[in-house]
Each structure stands twice: as C-alpha cells, then as structure tokens.
Amino acid sequence: MQRLGTGIGWRPEIADAVERMPDVDWVEVVSENLCPDHPPESLKRLRARGVTVVPHGVSLGLGGAERPDEGRLTALAERALALGSPLVTEHIAFVRAGGALTASPRLEAGHLLPVPRTRDALDVLCENIRVAQDALPVPLAVENIAALLSWPGEELTEGQFLYELADRTGVRLLIDVANLHTNHVNQGEDPARALAELPLEALAYVHVAGGFERDGVWHDSHAHPVPEPVLGILSDLASRVTPPGVLLERDENFPEPGELERELAAIGKAVELGRTAAVGRTAAVGRTDGVGHPAGIGRTTAGGRPPRAT
C-alpha cells in the first residue's frame, strides 16, 4: 500500500484549520458530500500542495442482499478520478432493506448496520465486493464498523470474518481501532484477539476516533476526544505492523484547532509506542521469522490462516 502518513477527516467546519496544520499528510472526505465537478476550494488547495485525498463512502451497503447500485459505484469512481485518489473506502455494513428482492418497499436505515458473521453472509459480501472492485478504477478498502448488537448464530469472530474476506477477495482493510473498542465494550469482544487474527498485510490504513460511554454502552460519536483505551489498541496494532496511514475522525462538536493537533500528536505517540514495543520484543527473542515479524508475533498456521477459535 502507498504510504499515507498522518491524516484527518476533512469536514467543511474545520477546512481552514486543516489547511493550516503542518503535519497533515492526507485527508479523507465523505464521498457522498462531494461534487466531483466542483470540489471545495480547500480541497483544491490541499491537493495542489501534495496532500492526498481519499473518498470515504457510506451508502453502498456492501453487506446487503442486493448487488451494489451501479449509480453509486459510478459516483464513487468519479470522485476517485477527480481527486487523483490512490484508493477508495467503504464499510462492511448494510444500510437498506426491502425493494426488489422482497414484497416490502425499500427502506433506508440511515445507519451502518452490522453484517451477520456467518458463512452465508460472507458469501454475499464477497460477491458484492468483487462487483465493486470491478467497477472502481482504484483499489477498494473496507472498514469494520461499530455495532450496538450482534446477530444470533454467528459462526466467526470479527478477526476471522475479516481474514476470510480479505483472503477470498483481495480487498484491502481499513481497520477502525475505535470500532474495535466499541465492540469490546458493547459485545465483550477482545480487540487483541481480533488484531491477532487479521491479515495485517492487507491493511490500507487505520481510523481513530472518540466516543463516550453511557449506561454501559459505548457510543462511537466521533464528537469526543480519543480515549486512552483506543490509543492502546492503536499501539497494539502498530506493534504488529507499521500502518501505512492513520487518520483522526471528527464529525461534530469540533474543538479549537490546537486540540485537534494535540490529538494527532497523541496518535503519533501511540504508533511510536507500538513500534518501540515491537523492537523490544524482537531484541528479547533475538530472531525473526524471516519476514520481518518478531518470532511468535503475527504468525499464522501452516495453512496461512490465523489460528481458529474452537
């Protein structure tokens, strides 16, 4: 993957502040909020000085029963070409139901809903991603989402599900460490186990965001400071692989620019802590596995897959 560096989600409310940030290497923009023929002047200025812009889609619904809408795929492709983007991203989620495959009218959820981690759902998701990959002019990366619920009868852990997805389709992964924390609080899932099971060679970049807990439920608000547990998961990830890019998401309740810059600095420190830990483990073991991983870290089974849960 292209080395992206440190990034921030571009939003109109903080456009001026982002332009003045000295250490921002790239930005991500919500694809559906962008007109490719008339991009904001701020994005034009950022691109002119060499800042990479990545379109981030929210409406494809790759986890739905229907094939991806051709019009939405065309729109995402147009934005990638207009911005000269090295890749585009979307979510592992479904966002609508009903319509052609049922007798009920089509309903838009207005929210990213979790895909059941079953073999059948994985088959549908893989086919939808292949359709999207064929229609896009640049590589696609897909993001794990934050879930308030899990489906009954799930057959795979989050890490296993993502591993199978990347293995079968070659799709890149956008790993949101804040979403791993959300699923830890709300579903009791272990973020370290998820990271251990992921095909980290498929990592495109990483999302980091804040949220808040209320009555034992973690809300992925993108409107609060990044908490220490999320930074800890980021350090764990960085101890396993050097992320090509790390991006701070903030969608509302925007703080003053200095606070955003301090959050970016904290993210950079968390990545550096992870790298230091990896070096320390390598030195302690005194050998590597031959591909740059400390021995015993990030290893897979003989079949190339991470160990399975039993």
Side-chain angles (χ1 to χ4, degrees):
M1 281 302 302
Q2 175 177 324
R3 177 71 182 166
L4 293 169
T6 301
I8 190 168
W10 185 93
R11 304 293 183 265
E13 295 88 343
I14 56 172
D16 292 341
V18 170
E19 286 190 65
R20 293 193 296 269
M21 291 179 181
D23 298 323
V24 168
D25 303 307
W26 65 290
V27 298
E28 182 189 76
V29 59
V30 176
S31 177
E32 286 80 356
N33 293 345
L34 181 69
C35 175
D37 296 329
H38 304 285
E41 292 299 320
S42 173
L43 286 181
K44 290 181 180 179
R45 290 190 291 268
L46 287 169
R47 287 192 62 225
R49 74 178 208 223
V51 175
T52 300
V53 181
V54 173
H56 185 52
V58 297
S59 66
L60 271 185
L62 292 170
E66 295 182 334
R67 294 292 173 254
D69 179 77
E70 291 185 11
R72 296 178 192 274
L73 282 173
T74 298
L76 187 56
E78 289 174 347
R79 283 149 180 79
L81 293 174
L83 296 169
S85 304
L87 78 163
V88 297
T89 59
E90 248 290 354
H91 297 83
I92 301 170
F94 69 94
V95 297
R96 63 187 61 88
L101 297 181
T102 71
S104 61
R106 182 185 299 275
L107 298 175
E108 295 286 339
H111 193 73
L112 298 168
L113 300 172
V115 175
R117 295 183 203 139
T118 64
R119 296 286 178 186
D120 287 344
L122 180 61
D123 289 344
V124 173
L125 177 62
C126 286
E127 184 57 32
N128 285 348
I129 283 179
R130 292 188 190 102
V131 170
Q133 288 171 316
D134 289 343
L136 293 169
V138 294
L140 171 68
V142 291
E143 179 183 356
N144 59 304
I145 70 165
L148 291 173
L149 58 88
S150 58
W151 295 95
E154 292 193 324
E155 301 164 343
L156 302 166
T157 66
E158 181 161 31
Q160 292 167 350
F161 191 84
L162 294 175
Y163 190 101
E164 291 270 357
L165 179 64
D167 187 46
R168 290 171 56 177
T169 66
V171 73
R172 311 298 177 119
L173 297 178
L174 161 51
I175 298 301
D176 191 315
V177 292
N179 292 349
L180 291 180
H181 174 67
T182 301
N183 295 343
H184 169 63
V185 176
N186 295 346
Q187 310 296 335
E189 298 180 1
D190 182 1
R193 178 182 179 183
L195 292 177
E197 292 175 338
L198 290 177
L200 292 176
E201 67 276 6
L203 182 65
Y205 60 88
V206 179
H207 270 177
V208 184
F212 66 96
E213 187 173 349
R214 178 183 295 160
D215 298 328
V217 176
W218 186 265
H219 298 270
D220 182 45
S221 67
H222 292 196
H224 295 78
V226 178
E228 285 299 324
V230 171
L231 293 175
I233 298 172
L234 175 61
S235 291
D236 187 1
L237 184 150
S239 76
R240 302 167 187 269
V241 66
T242 299
V246 182
L247 181 129
L248 172 64
E249 287 188 295
R250 189 74 174 234
D251 290 330
E252 57 184 24
N253 192 25
F254 298 101
E256 51 92 17
E259 179 61 28
L260 290 174
E261 292 183 21
R262 285 188 287 274
E263 288 209 76
L264 287 171
I267 287 169
K269 182 179 179 181
V271 171
E272 189 57 37
L273 284 173
R275 292 173 180 164
T276 301
V279 171
R281 285 200 296 264
T282 302
V285 174
R287 62 185 177 86
T288 67
D289 64 4
V291 293
H293 296 299
I297 298 173
R299 305 282 300 270
T300 61
T301 62
R305 300 179 184 274
R308 298 293 186 187
T310 57

